[in-house]
Amino acid sequence: MGALDTRESMQRGNAMQAQSGLFPLRFLGFGFFWGWLFLVNISPSPLLGSAQGIGDVPFEMTELAARLLFLVGAMVVSSRIACIRNWVPVAIAAGITGACVAPVVLLSDTPGIVTGAALVSAFAESALFLMWMTFFGYMKLGETLLLLVSSYAIGAVLCLAAIFLGDTAMTACAVVLPLASCAALIMARRYGDAVKEEPEHAADRGPVPVEEDAYRSLPFVKMTAGLALYSFGFALYLGIALFLSDRFLFGYVVEPTCAIALACIVLVFAKFSRSPTKPYTLYRAVPPLMGVGFAMLAVGFSQPLLAGFFITLGFLLFEVLAYNDYCNLVKADNSSLLRAIAGARLASSAGMLLGWAVGYGMQPVMEVNGSSTILAVLALLFILFIATIAFTDLDRKTLASIADDRAVQEEAEAIVPKEEFFPYFAESIGLSKREEEVLDLLLSGRTTSYAAEKLFVAESTVRAHVHNIYRKANVHSRMELMDAFDVFWSARRSEAEKSDNS
């Protein structure tokens, strides 16, 4: 092939890599974010412990309350912060403030400082999460899910490694990881611009017109309700863990461990399912996992960490599947991904804050009874309610149907029309500019008379060009010419597919 062909192939391969390849800047950068979150923003934190702010309110409750405000603000001004010139200073501010949280609390854990650090942490968490999700949310069907669970796992590994190495390593990671996540985000976006990728995500486009119907659709509402309710149930477990703190000495390792297990499950499932819509079957595993975990806590099982593992794994599984579905719904309805993800995070945070409030408020009752059984039974009944009424198997099938439609659309979009290969075929057999024009008409099924009228030349001139084309292509008829082109087109298309998959 010629130089033009080579350049086109390189540009196409680079664009595909930037748009949908799981290149390191993406899953590593988002993994840095999760590693910081696991170290700092969970209670009890492996680094900060059970830090309490004003009014003895746990760090995580204050952070969740502040996060709600920031997410509401993000939804209100989504069209402005979606513009590329506006998100960079926000990302830098998020990285810097996130890096300051742990040192500030470690230097002074007074209630006022803890509350202030929680507010700052909420801003950093909200900003970085939204920017990363809107960065890769427009990837191909299934790739968003794989990238999300891979990032979860990377963050979990970093967190567990820091815990193993001790307080100094955890403090260093708590400072470095948000800065590294911010830097990776900026570099990844510039990488996409460098290969001239067609903007597909909200942060590279201008203000995005919002179609309200997307947010009022039943699948969107049902999934948002399911995410909020499962978040509430998960927070009830955190309330039990707070009460059983003496038996949850290493409770902070449960969520990172579950993140690694989740990545293994989803990646293996995706490898053997042979369909990007098959992971929707995993929705069915959420109620049994969380139900078994709460049942174990209700009967006073001797290994509460194992019960916590089942509950956390079920919750994380629903969370990643839901975020993947938000991306599918946005792509189907051409809505604002930033607003959709902010709304999803808002629902999740609100449910978790409410669950924290209930669990925290139930502490005196559990202390009087000397048992957390009452809260565990309440949570178990709540999970049964979600599975049978709020988010049922029928809702799962609806989301799977939307994913099927998206898969068909993506397959159609991926097919390159034969006409785009006409110039490359002409170049491969050494045609002149005029002969290439005649070739286009021949392969399109036009007659020599039509070609003469179209090109404003005599019909005898067209026949002369046709003769030269046959000679250069080493064929003797139009049928043989079309067969030769089909062979060329099939070979080129196979090469393009291999390049896209590499």
Side-chain angles (χ1 to χ4, degrees), residues 27 41 81 107 129 140 162 203 216 296-297 316 382 463:
F27 62 81
N41 280 30
I81 61 178
L107 289 174
F129 179 83
K140 287 185 178 180
R216 295 175 181 174
M296 294 169 67
L297 292 176
L316 291 180
F382 193 75
R463 285 196 292 269

Side-chain angles (χ1 to χ4, degrees), residues 307-393:
F309 177 85
F310 285 122
I311 295 169
T312 305
L313 181 61
F315 169 70
L316 291 180
L317 178 58
F318 186 88
E319 186 178 49
V320 296
L321 290 172
Y323 282 126
N324 181 65
D325 275 321
Y326 279 109
C327 296
N328 288 338
L329 288 172
V330 164
K331 287 182 283 191
D333 293 315
N334 194 31
S335 305
S336 166
L337 179 60
L338 177 61
R339 184 174 177 184
I341 296 299
R345 197 65 170 173
L346 178 66
S348 176
S349 301
M352 194 167 293
L353 178 61
L354 182 60
W356 257 105
V358 172
Y360 190 66
M362 289 284 289
Q363 296 298 314
V365 177
M366 290 188 288
E367 289 176 0
V368 170
N369 295 331
S371 171
S372 62
T373 299
I374 184 172
L375 191 57
V377 171
L378 173 64
L380 179 59
L381 294 175
F382 193 75
I383 296 302
L384 292 175
F385 165 79
I386 300 173
T388 55
I389 297 178
F391 189 87
T392 65
D393 195 55

Side-chain angles (χ1 to χ4, degrees), residues 189-210:
R189 288 184 184 277
R190 288 182 176 176
Y191 174 82
D193 293 338
V195 296
K196 302 186 185 327
E197 173 187 11
E198 181 181 351
E200 289 264 339
H201 37 75
D204 275 352
R205 296 181 293 183
V208 181
V210 177

Side-chain angles (χ1 to χ4, degrees), residues 244 247 292-308 310 373:
L244 300 176
R247 299 170 62 188
V292 167
F294 281 118
M296 294 169 67
L297 292 176
V299 299
F301 186 66
S302 60
Q303 299 295 330
L305 284 177
L306 181 59
F310 285 122
T373 299

Side-chain angles (χ1 to χ4, degrees), residues 21 27 100 105 112 228 235 245 362 376 432 446:
F27 62 81
C100 294
V105 176
S245 57
M362 289 284 289
S432 66
R446 302 298 185 178

Side-chain angles (χ1 to χ4, degrees), residues 64-390:
L64 285 168
R67 191 193 302 175
L68 295 179
L69 299 177
F70 286 120
L71 291 171
V72 170
M75 294 181 68
V76 172
V77 299
S78 60
S79 61
R80 294 183 180 180
I81 61 178
C83 182
I84 190 169
R85 65 177 177 271
N86 293 334
W87 66 262
V88 174
V90 177
I92 294 174
I96 294 174
T97 54
C100 294
V101 173
V104 167
V105 176
L106 291 174
L107 289 174
S108 176
D109 60 352
T110 59
I113 294 296
V114 171
T115 298
L119 298 178
V120 170
S121 179
F123 164 73
E125 192 278 345
S126 301
L128 289 175
F129 179 83
L130 291 178
M131 289 179 185
W132 275 114
M133 283 299 299
T134 54
F135 183 38
F136 60 76
Y138 280 93
M139 294 170 65
K140 287 185 178 180
L141 181 67
E143 290 187 355
T144 299
L145 178 61
L146 295 179
L147 180 55
L148 188 55
V149 297
S150 299
S151 301
Y152 259 119
I154 290 173
V157 170
L158 291 172
C159 173
L160 294 176
I163 293 173
F164 176 78
L165 293 175
D167 291 344
T168 302
M170 285 192 290
T171 303
C173 287
V175 174
V176 172
L177 289 180
L179 296 174
S181 182
C182 173
L185 179 66
I186 294 174
M187 288 190 295
R189 288 184 184 277
R190 288 182 176 176
Y191 174 82
D193 293 338
V195 296
K196 302 186 185 327
E197 173 187 11
E198 181 181 351
E200 289 264 339
H201 37 75
D204 275 352
R205 296 181 293 183
V208 181
V210 177
E211 297 187 12
E212 295 295 336
D213 289 342
Y215 304 101
R216 295 175 181 174
S217 65
L218 185 59
F220 192 96
V221 172
K222 294 277 282 186
M223 189 166 58
T224 302
L227 183 59
L229 294 174
Y230 276 118
S231 298
F232 175 82
F234 176 67
L236 291 181
Y237 152 71
L238 297 177
I240 296 174
L242 183 64
F243 174 73
L244 300 176
S245 57
D246 58 327
R247 299 170 62 188
F248 276 85
L249 296 177
F250 299 100
Y252 46 75
V253 304
V254 172
E255 191 166 352
T257 304
C258 287
I260 296 174
L262 174 67
C264 294
I265 292 171
V266 173
L267 292 173
V268 170
F269 196 90
K271 180 177 178 61
F272 292 101
S273 66
R274 299 180 182 275
S275 171
T277 62
K278 287 296 183 182
Y280 289 88
T281 306
L282 293 174
Y283 270 119
R284 294 176 172 173
V286 175
L289 284 171
M290 298 187 73
V292 167
F294 281 118
M296 294 169 67
L297 292 176
V299 299
F301 186 66
S302 60
Q303 299 295 330
L305 284 177
L306 181 59
F309 177 85
F310 285 122
I311 295 169
T312 305
L313 181 61
F315 169 70
L316 291 180
L317 178 58
F318 186 88
E319 186 178 49
V320 296
L321 290 172
Y323 282 126
N324 181 65
D325 275 321
Y326 279 109
C327 296
N328 288 338
L329 288 172
V330 164
K331 287 182 283 191
D333 293 315
N334 194 31
S335 305
S336 166
L337 179 60
L338 177 61
R339 184 174 177 184
I341 296 299
R345 197 65 170 173
L346 178 66
S348 176
S349 301
M352 194 167 293
L353 178 61
L354 182 60
W356 257 105
V358 172
Y360 190 66
M362 289 284 289
Q363 296 298 314
V365 177
M366 290 188 288
E367 289 176 0
V368 170
N369 295 331
S371 171
S372 62
T373 299
I374 184 172
L375 191 57
V377 171
L378 173 64
L380 179 59
L381 294 175
F382 193 75
I383 296 302
L384 292 175
F385 165 79
I386 300 173
T388 55
I389 297 178

